[in-house]
Amino acid sequence: IGIITWIIRRLAKIKSNSSTMRFSFAAMWIVGLFCVIGLIASLRNDLSYHNVPVENTVPLSNPGIDKLELKLKKDTRYYFSNSFLHFEPFASIDEDTAFVQNVHVRVLKSENDSFHVTMLKMVNGASKAEAESRAERMEFNITQKDSALLLDRGIPISKEEKFRNQTVYVTVYVPVGKRILVRDNIGWGNDVHIELGGDINDWRWRYDDDGYNWHSNEEYVMTAEGLKPVHEEKKNDNDDDDNDEQNAP
């Protein structure tokens, strides 16, 4: 700001105690304030409504397997580990498209002996119709390959679509006695969300704990009572050892 002020003074040949300079900067502050207010009002209008929550079934090529492992697709369009510029909280930026990691994974008990997967897309809009249209255009792919369930690394946000709280909810239904393993921190990424008076927060899944009692990179088995860690005994032994070390004199 100091450099810009010095340049303006030199070009306009205005002294530092000039009233013209003071009025000019006051006018710029007022214009900037109105611009911020206009931006917030515009965003609030675009975030006023959300689409109707509808779960869609994800087809599985082999739903009768004994173990399902969730992984991210290996796609260099979405991720560059050695990228010089990295803009949080986006997964990456590919040309004119950013990828946001608003992907939530729930794990629930299946009613039969097969795995089932559903996907639900949520997005805001200035009207219900606009939100529905945006939800239909959202791109997020899930495919099964052998025992792996491959998910896209992020939700694409283009300059045409813009970010309007695009979020994907994936629910995996696991049969009793079968196992699941979620890798790559899927479902526990950065939750990018703008709240400006919209009603998307009224929807129950955003804050419902049901289905989220699991940790990434830890294998679980589904029981009649719910998910249980496969290596629970080993984990408990390690916790006891840690407590003994802390209590040692």
Side-chain angles (χ1 to χ4, degrees), residues 87 90-100 154-159:
F87 297 94
F90 300 104
S92 72
I93 295 179
D94 179 29
E95 295 182 353
D96 61 349
T97 301
F99 296 87
V100 66
I155 304 169
I157 309 296
S158 66
K159 61 181 180 180

Side-chain angles (χ1 to χ4, degrees), residues 48 56 114 129 167-168 177-178 183 210 215 217 226 233 236 245:
S48 298
N56 295 310
S114 297
T167 307
V168 170
K178 297 191 176 183
R183 296 194 180 276
D210 188 24
H215 298 283
N217 298 315
E233 295 182 358
N236 291 336
E245 291 178 0

Side-chain angles (χ1 to χ4, degrees), residues 25-35:
F25 276 98
M28 285 189 288
W29 274 107
I30 294 173
V31 171
L33 179 62
F34 277 105
C35 289

Side-chain angles (χ1 to χ4, degrees), residues 6-49:
W6 181 83
I7 294 175
I8 294 175
R9 287 174 179 171
R10 288 295 182 180
L11 293 176
K13 297 181 180 180
I14 299 175
K15 297 181 179 180
S16 59
N17 60 352
S18 172
S19 59
T20 303
M21 177 65 72
R22 291 196 296 270
F23 286 127
S24 298
F25 276 98
M28 285 189 288
W29 274 107
I30 294 173
V31 171
L33 179 62
F34 277 105
C35 289
V36 171
I37 294 174
L39 176 61
I40 294 175
S42 176
L43 280 175
R44 190 181 189 281
N45 180 62
D46 278 355
L47 301 174
S48 298
Y49 299 90

Side-chain angles (χ1 to χ4, degrees), residues 63-133:
I65 56 177
D66 294 326
K67 175 183 174 181
L68 189 64
E69 186 172 344
L70 276 66
K71 298 179 179 180
L72 295 177
K73 291 182 180 178
K74 304 300 181 183
D75 194 335
T76 56
R77 293 180 305 162
Y78 297 159
Y79 182 75
F80 299 93
S81 58
N82 296 322
S83 177
F84 177 75
L85 291 176
H86 184 72
F87 297 94
E88 294 288 353
F90 300 104
S92 72
I93 295 179
D94 179 29
E95 295 182 353
D96 61 349
T97 301
F99 296 87
V100 66
Q101 294 177 314
N102 281 359
V103 181
H104 301 266
V105 176
R106 301 195 311 159
V107 181
L108 300 175
K109 184 170 62 175
S110 175
E111 297 297 330
N112 53 37
D113 60 354
S114 297
F115 283 92
H116 300 277
V117 179
T118 64
M119 177 171 56
L120 186 149
K121 301 176 181 179
M122 296 294 295
V123 63
N124 285 119
S127 64
K128 285 285 186 181
E130 181 178 312
E132 292 291 345
S133 178

